[in-house]
Amino acid sequence: MPEQEYLMQFFGYAHLPENLQEVSKPFHLLAEVIVAEVPRNPERTVALRKLLEAKDCAVRAMIFK
């Protein structure tokens, strides 16, 4: 896997319960678009990292007690 695409592993969602998959899937889809359409450079990596952070926050918001 090329250097920056290793981040894609963290956008997987099939292992999550269905309600969390619904929240996580759009982030995965956007990450795929970014990898496919945005040139590989440090800013793309930052974009993916921040998207990953947002995805993690959204999933945690769903399980917040």
Side-chain angles (χ1 to χ4, degrees):
M1 195 176 301
E3 182 179 332
Q4 293 174 4
E5 280 78 356
Y6 73 92
L7 288 172
M8 287 303 295
Q9 68 183 310
F10 302 118
F11 287 98
Y13 58 90
H15 64 287
L16 296 170
E18 189 173 328
N19 66 319
L20 299 181
Q21 286 184 22
E22 292 175 11
V23 170
S24 188
K25 184 177 179 179
F27 292 93
H28 171 86
L29 296 174
L30 181 53
E32 285 185 331
V33 170
I34 291 170
V35 168
E37 297 183 14
V38 176
R40 182 180 290 133
N41 60 55
E43 290 301 313
R44 183 177 91 167
T45 300
V46 172
L48 289 170
R49 287 188 181 278
K50 289 182 181 282
L51 183 63
L52 180 59
E53 182 179 355
K55 188 264 310 180
D56 290 344
C57 290
V59 170
R60 286 194 304 269
M62 292 297 292
I63 60 176
F64 187 82
K65 294 182 183 188

